[in-house]
Amino acid sequence: MAMVYPKSTRYRVWLTHLSLLGFVLLIMFPLLMVVSISFREGNFATGSLFPDQPTLEHWSLALGIPYTLADGTVVKPPFPVVTWLWNSLKIAFISSVLILLLSTTSAYAFARMRFAGKGPILKAMLIFQMFPPVLTLVAIYALFDRLGQHVSWLGVNSHGAVIVASLGGMALHIWTIKGYFESIDASLEEAAIVDGATTWQAFVHILLPMSVPILAVVFILAFITSITEYPMASVLLMDIDKLTLSVGAQQYLYEQNYLWGDFAAAAVLSGLPITLVFLYCQKWIVGGLTAGGVKG
Amino acid sequence: MSAVNAAEAYTPAMTDFRSNAVLKSVLKWGLWAAFNAFALYLVVVLYAQQQTAFALLGLVVTGIASYVFISKRAYAHRYIYPAVAGMLIFVIFPLLYTVGIGFTNYSGSNLLSLQQAQTYHLQQTYVSGARLPFTVHRNDGGLRLQVAQPDGSVLVSEVLAQGAEPAQIELSLSTADSSLGEALPLREVIALRKQLEQWVFVEPNGELLRLYGLREVAAVRPLYRLLENGDLLNNRSSERLTLDTQQGFYVDSRGNTMAPGFTVYTGWDNFSRVLTDPSIRGPFLQIFAWTVAFAALTVVFTLAVGLVLASLLQWELVRGKAFYRMMLILPYAVPAFISILVFKGLFNQNFGEINLVLDSLFGVRPDWFSDPTLARSMILIVNTWLGYPYMLLLCMGLLQAIPRDLYEASAIDGASPVDNLLRITLPLLIKPLMPLLIASFAFNFNNFVLITLLTSGAPDIIGATTPAGTTDLLVSYTYRIAFQDSGQNFALAAAIATLIFILVGAMAWLNLKLTKVKV
C-alpha cells in the first residue's frame, strides 16, 4: 500500500526528531539534575551538570555511614533512609502478596461462577474505588485506634495497620484479573470438574498456572501502589524508625532544615530500583494500567 | 469367601472414614462456634464502650462471614468474601462514619463522650485541709509513699505500680509496721512527679490526699458533685455548671465553656457553616474553583502533550521509536513522591536549579512558592510532567485503531498535519477516551499527594478562619482542617468531605454510564 508523501517530508522527519529529542531533554532535566546534585559538596552548592569536585558525602549518608569531611569533622546521617526503604519494601511485599491472594480468588468467582448480587457488587466496587481514602482518614484513624486496643499489632503506629488498610483497594486488581480469566477458555476446567475435581482444585491446578503473567502484573502494580502510598501511612505511622520512604522523604526539605544534597542521594538510591523495575516490566504493566485506572 | 474377605477388609476403612468425617465436622463447627463467640464478645465490648458504630461494623462483617462459610448456597460467596469485607471495613465503613461525623461537633476540643467528660470533671479536686510532708521509698521492688502525721505517727501506702496508665488510682494508707529505709533523693522525686500526681491516696479516716508540690501532700475534696439532671455543682463555691447538650460543653453561670467538651449531634450546623459563614464560605468557594480548574487544566494539558507525542511516534518514517517511548514514559516510572519532592527543590527561589537557569537566561528569579499565580503555574507544570505519559500510553494504544487510509485521503486533499490531528485523530479518539478522561479528572480532583508534598497549600488565603491556602485542593483543605495542629476540627472536615463524596459519586456514576460496563 503506497502512502502518498509530500515533498517536504524529509525536513519534517528531521524536525520531528529534533523536537522529540528537545522534549526528551526537557523531561530528563530534573532527573539528571538530581543525580548531579547528589554528587555535589554540601547542601547548598550550585554548579554545572557535571560537578567540579564530585564527592560521595551524600551517598555515604544516605546509606547510613557517617562521613568524615576533609577538615576532620564527622557528619552523622540525618535520617535512617535504609530503615525507611526496608519498611517500605516489607509493607509493600506483604500487602501485595495478600492483595494478590485475595483478589485472585475473588476474580475467579466473578469470572466463572453465577451467584446472587454479582453484578451490583462488581459495579459497587468500581464506584467506591473512586472515593479518595484521604477524605476518610479521620474514620480510618479512629478504626485502627479501636482495633489497637484489642489487637496490638494492628493499632495506630504499627506496620500491620498500613498493610491491612491497603486491603481496601483491591477492586481494580479484581477487575484486571477477572478480565484475564474471562479471556481463557473455561472448557479445560469444566473437563476437570467432570472428571471429579472440585471447583477449588480446577481453579488451583488448571486456571492459576495459565494466569501467571497477569498475576505478575497485578503483583508489581500492587507493589508500586503500596510503595508510593502516602496519605494513610502519614496518618497511621509516627515514630521516625517506623516511617515508610514516601512519608519520610519529605523531612529532608523543611524550610528550617533544608538538606538538598542529602535528599538527592536518598531519592536516587530509593527511586532508582523502583524506576528500573517499572521500565523493565512496562510492556506488561501498561496493558493493565490503561485497562484499569490511573496510577497514584 | 473372597467377597466376605473383601467386606471384612472394608469395614475398618469405612469406620475410619466415618470417624474422620465426624472429626472434620466437629472441628468445623467448633471453629465456627469459637469464631462467633469471640466476635460476639468483641461486639459486646465495643457496644458497652458506647462505640455503637464499630460494634455494628463488627456485627455485620462477622455475621456475613459466619453465614457465608456455613451455608452451602453461599459457596461462591466464600471466594469473594475477603475482598468484599476489605472494602466494607476500609472503604464503605469509613465513608459512612465520616458522613456521620459531619453531623456532630467532633473536634480537638470535643473528643470525649458525655460520660468521659463527666468522669473527668468529677475527678477534679481542690485543696481542703492540712498539708502533710511525705517521702518516697524504694521497697519490695516498687515505690511506697510515707506520709508523716501531725501527731508524729506515719502512714505508709501500698506498693505503687510503676509505669501505670495515667488514671486516678486510689491507694489506701495504713500505719507503718516497719521502717521503709532511705527516702529517695529529691532529684528522683522530680523525675517521678508526673506519675505521683496521678494518684489519689485515701487516709484511714476516708480523707483524700494528693500531691502538693514536691515535699507535701494535701487533703483534697472532689471539686464537683453530679446532680440528678446531669448538671455539676461546685463543692467549694456552690456554683452550678449547666449541661449544654447543644454546644457539647458544661457551661458556668457567666456562659463560659469548661474544657474538655463532649461530642454531640449538631444536625446540619457544619453544612450551614460551610455555606453561610463568610470566613469559611469564601475560602471554600475559592478552593473549589481552583480544584475544578486544576483538574480540568491538568486533563487538557496532559492530553494535549500526550496526543501530540503519540501522533509523532505513530508516524512510520520516524525511527528509534522504542528509545523515544522509553525516554518519554520515564516520568511515569519514577515514584511520584520522589519526583514531586525533586521539583520542590528545583523550584526553590534561592538555590533551585530552575531559577538559576532563568536567571542566567532572562535575569529573573520568580518566587514560585509565595505568589499565588506562580505557585499555581508551577503545580500545573509539575502535574503535566507527571501525568502526560499516561495519556501518551492511552493515545498510542487507541491510535492503532484508526484506519490509515483516512490519513491517505486527507493527504491527497492537501491537508496539513495539524488538520489531520484536529479533524481526524481527535474526533475519533475522544469517544473511547472520554471515560478515561473522567477518571483522570476525578483522580486529579483529589490529587492530595501532589499538593501536600509540593506546596502544602501555601501561600495562605488571607482572612480565613480555617487553615486554607491558595493552592489547596478540596482534599488537602479538609486534611488540613482535620489534622493540622491549630485546627483538629474533624466535624467540619467531615462535612466538607461529605460534599466532595457527592461530587465524586456523581463522577463515578457518569463514568460507569459512559463505559457501559458489562458484568
Side-chain angles (χ1 to χ4, degrees):
Chain A
M1 190 176 87
M3 188 81 185
V4 185
Y5 298 122
K7 275 183 186 170
S8 57
T9 301
R10 221 205 296 161
Y11 300 105
R12 281 207 210 156
V13 171
W14 279 111
L15 204 65
T16 308
H17 273 292
L18 219 61
S19 50
L20 277 175
L21 279 176
F23 191 80
V24 165
L25 276 182
L26 195 69
I27 289 302
M28 294 285 289
F29 170 75
L31 303 176
L32 294 177
M33 225 51 232
V34 164
V35 175
S36 149
I37 288 162
S38 74
F39 289 105
R40 280 186 198 160
E41 278 183 324
N43 278 313
F44 302 98
T46 53
S48 59
L49 191 56
F50 299 99
D52 308 325
Q53 293 162 311
T55 153
L56 288 176
E57 173 191 345
H58 304 306
W59 278 88
S60 140
L61 293 181
L63 290 167
I65 307 161
Y67 186 82
T68 316
L69 292 178
D71 58 3
T73 46
V74 177
V75 188
K76 286 252 167 61
F79 299 111
V81 184
V82 180
T83 314
W84 289 345
L85 188 61
W86 169 243
N87 288 344
S88 279
L89 290 177
K90 189 176 73 179
I91 290 176
F93 182 79
I94 299 175
S95 74
S96 327
V97 168
L98 286 177
I99 285 177
L100 189 64
L101 283 176
L102 299 181
S103 54
T104 310
T105 49
S106 310
Y108 175 65
F110 281 124
R112 290 284 195 264
M113 296 178 187
R114 292 159 58 104
F115 52 88
K118 178 170 152 181
I121 292 177
L122 271 172
K123 275 190 187 168
M125 280 185 157
L126 266 197
I127 288 187
F128 281 114
Q129 200 69 81
M130 284 181 81
F131 290 93
V134 187
L135 294 173
T136 57
L137 281 178
V138 176
I140 289 176
Y141 183 88
L143 181 67
F144 282 106
D145 199 29
R146 301 290 183 290
L147 267 176
Q149 289 165 9
H150 303 280
V151 197
S152 62
W153 54 271
L154 270 184
V156 168
N157 203 11
S158 72
H159 289 161
V162 182
I163 292 171
V164 171
S166 73
L167 296 183
M170 281 191 290
L172 286 180
H173 301 312
I174 292 177
W175 272 87
T176 312
I177 303 176
K178 171 183 162 277
Y180 189 87
F181 282 170
E182 279 167 349
S183 73
I184 296 177
D185 193 7
S187 55
L188 262 179
E189 294 151 63
E190 280 157 17
I193 289 171
V194 168
D195 285 348
T198 61
T199 325
W200 177 256
Q201 285 170 329
F203 166 56
V204 173
H205 295 296
I206 296 176
L207 188 57
L208 276 192
M210 290 196 286
S211 319
V212 172
I214 198 72
L215 300 185
V217 169
V218 167
F219 181 83
I220 294 163
L221 277 182
F223 195 83
I224 291 176
T225 314
S226 172
I227 292 254
T228 53
E229 202 283 329
Y230 171 81
M232 296 238 226
S234 77
V235 168
L236 290 177
L237 301 176
M238 286 138 208
D239 294 352
I240 194 122
D241 282 336
K242 286 191 174 166
L243 296 187
T244 61
L245 202 58
S246 58
V247 180
Q250 59 171 333
Q251 307 219 353
Y252 279 104
L253 298 184
Y254 282 138
E255 287 291 323
Q256 305 84 348
N257 188 18
Y258 198 80
L259 303 172
W260 188 213
D262 294 340
F263 167 76
V268 177
L269 173 74
S270 51
L272 203 62
I274 303 170
T275 309
L276 290 180
V277 167
F278 188 95
L279 286 179
Y280 180 74
C281 307
Q282 51 137 331
K283 259 187 215 146
W284 304 289
I285 294 176
V286 165
L289 273 178
T290 46
V294 188
K295 178 192 153 202
Chain B
M1 191 61 190
S2 66
V4 175
N5 269 348
E8 272 171 0
Y10 241 100
T11 345
M14 284 292 281
T15 47
D16 212 39
F17 173 76
R18 251 185 231 137
S19 69
N20 252 346
V22 169
L23 195 71
K24 242 181 155 177
S25 97
V26 164
L27 205 67
K28 182 172 140 190
W29 286 99
L31 269 176
W32 185 80
F35 167 77
N36 272 306
F38 177 69
L40 269 178
Y41 161 76
L42 259 185
V43 167
V44 169
V45 165
L46 281 170
Y47 184 75
Q49 292 173 351
Q50 298 196 320
Q51 311 286 353
T52 322
F54 291 98
L56 212 62
L57 173 73
L59 200 64
V60 168
V61 170
T62 52
I64 298 177
S66 69
Y67 172 73
V68 160
F69 284 93
I70 222 63
S71 162
K72 283 236 158 55
R73 280 175 50 208
Y75 179 75
H77 294 91
R78 285 178 211 178
Y79 286 85
I80 64 164
Y81 176 77
V84 171
M87 287 218 79
L88 214 60
I89 299 173
F90 299 114
V91 180
I92 297 173
F93 171 76
L95 212 82
L96 298 175
Y97 192 80
T98 306
V99 173
I101 292 175
F103 290 94
T104 67
N105 66 345
Y106 189 61
S107 63
S109 58
N110 297 60
L111 273 177
L112 306 175
S113 69
L114 171 58
Q115 210 180 6
Q116 285 170 315
Q118 248 170 19
T119 316
Y120 174 86
H121 287 304
L122 291 174
Q123 279 175 349
Q124 300 307 302
T125 50
Y126 70 97
V127 177
S128 63
R131 301 207 291 265
L132 307 167
F134 79 90
T135 46
V136 184
H137 303 260
R138 206 177 286 287
N139 188 269
D140 291 345
L143 296 171
R144 294 181 79 173
L145 197 81
Q146 178 174 297
V147 178
Q149 296 274 76
D151 58 8
S153 67
V154 290
L155 293 173
V156 173
S157 77
E158 297 156 11
V159 176
L160 309 176
Q162 237 178 327
E165 285 290 296
Q168 287 185 328
I169 303 163
E170 299 196 347
L171 291 162
S172 49
L173 297 172
S174 52
T175 44
D177 42 0
S178 64
S179 166
L180 289 177
E182 281 290 292
L184 289 185
L186 193 62
R187 186 163 40 84
E188 284 195 51
V189 178
I190 293 173
L192 288 167
R193 183 181 184 161
K194 270 249 152 59
Q195 228 184 335
L196 290 171
E197 276 174 346
Q198 289 156 15
W199 278 303
V200 175
F201 306 95
V202 188
E203 271 188 86
N205 59 6
E207 191 95 15
L208 302 179
L209 293 177
R210 201 163 220 200
L211 206 67
Y212 190 86
L214 286 168
R215 293 174 196 279
E216 288 176 317
V217 287
V220 292
R221 293 229 174 93
L223 188 56
Y224 296 109
R225 188 164 14 132
L226 187 64
L227 301 180
E228 268 174 21
N229 63 353
D231 287 359
L232 295 177
L233 190 70
N234 190 318
N235 283 328
R236 190 160 47 161
S237 63
S238 43
E239 187 187 15
R240 182 187 266 254
L241 294 186
T242 329
L243 178 68
D244 185 344
T245 48
Q246 298 284 310
Q247 286 192 69
F249 275 108
Y250 274 102
V251 183
D252 67 13
S253 54
R254 276 150 304 178
N256 296 329
T257 53
M258 302 290 292
F262 47 92
T263 312
V264 289
Y265 174 77
T266 54
W268 295 91
D269 274 11
N270 292 311
F271 294 91
S272 65
R273 264 178 82 195
V274 173
L275 299 175
T276 55
D277 184 344
S279 65
I280 298 178
R281 187 184 54 185
F284 175 77
L285 289 179
Q286 190 183 340
I287 289 170
F288 180 67
W290 159 241
T291 307
V292 173
F294 163 78
L297 286 175
T298 299
V299 172
V300 170
F301 289 161
T302 51
L303 178 65
V305 175
L307 182 58
V308 168
L309 288 174
S311 309
L312 290 180
L313 286 183
Q314 178 74 1
W315 198 8
E316 55 274 0
L317 293 182
V318 176
R319 286 172 193 220
K321 277 188 187 126
F323 166 76
Y324 285 127
R325 190 187 135 108
M326 178 77 107
M327 287 293 139
L328 288 173
I329 66 166
L330 207 56
Y332 203 35
V334 181
F337 70 91
I338 287 180
S339 33
I340 293 169
L341 288 173
V342 166
F343 272 107
K344 182 177 176 173
L346 290 179
F347 272 107
N348 186 293
Q349 198 203 353
N350 297 319
F351 24 77
E353 306 294 329
I354 288 175
N355 271 7
L356 289 184
V357 172
L358 287 179
D359 198 21
S360 61
L361 288 182
F362 308 107
V364 287
R365 294 176 90 91
D367 193 352
W368 296 100
F369 289 93
S370 311
D371 182 87
T373 318
L374 281 175
R376 287 172 175 173
S377 335
M378 170 182 71
I379 285 172
L380 283 172
I381 293 171
V382 173
N383 207 26
T384 307
W385 188 92
L386 287 168
Y388 85 86
Y390 177 66
M391 292 295 176
L392 171 69
L393 291 170
L394 284 183
C395 292
M396 279 171 76
L398 291 170
L399 280 176
Q400 309 285 341
I402 298 179
R404 311 294 322 148
D405 43 354
L406 283 178
Y407 295 103
E408 201 168 332
S410 80
I412 292 170
D413 288 343
S416 72
V418 179
D419 285 329
N420 279 345
L421 186 66
L422 293 181
R423 306 240 174 132
I424 301 175
T425 317
L426 199 58
L428 282 172
L429 279 189
I430 207 75
K431 205 171 168 224
L433 264 182
M434 210 55 208
L436 296 158
L437 294 185
I438 293 177
S440 168
F441 182 88
F443 172 79
N444 283 300
F445 194 88
N446 298 312
N447 200 335
F448 170 77
V449 177
L450 174 72
I451 302 298
T452 306
L453 292 186
L454 193 57
T455 66
S456 319
D460 280 341
I461 294 176
I462 297 154
T465 50
T466 51
T470 42
T471 57
D472 260 325
L473 299 181
L474 282 176
V475 267
S476 58
Y477 177 52
T478 51
Y479 180 87
R480 288 175 67 182
I481 291 178
F483 290 105
Q484 252 184 10
D485 314 319
S486 56
Q488 297 234 323
N489 194 340
F490 302 121
L492 186 65
I496 297 176
T498 307
L499 296 177
I500 306 178
F501 288 151
I502 298 171
L503 291 170
V504 173
M507 280 189 266
W509 177 80
L510 185 67
N511 204 1
L512 209 62
K513 281 274 146 195
L514 281 174
T515 33
K516 297 191 188 71
V517 177
K518 285 202 188 69
V519 287

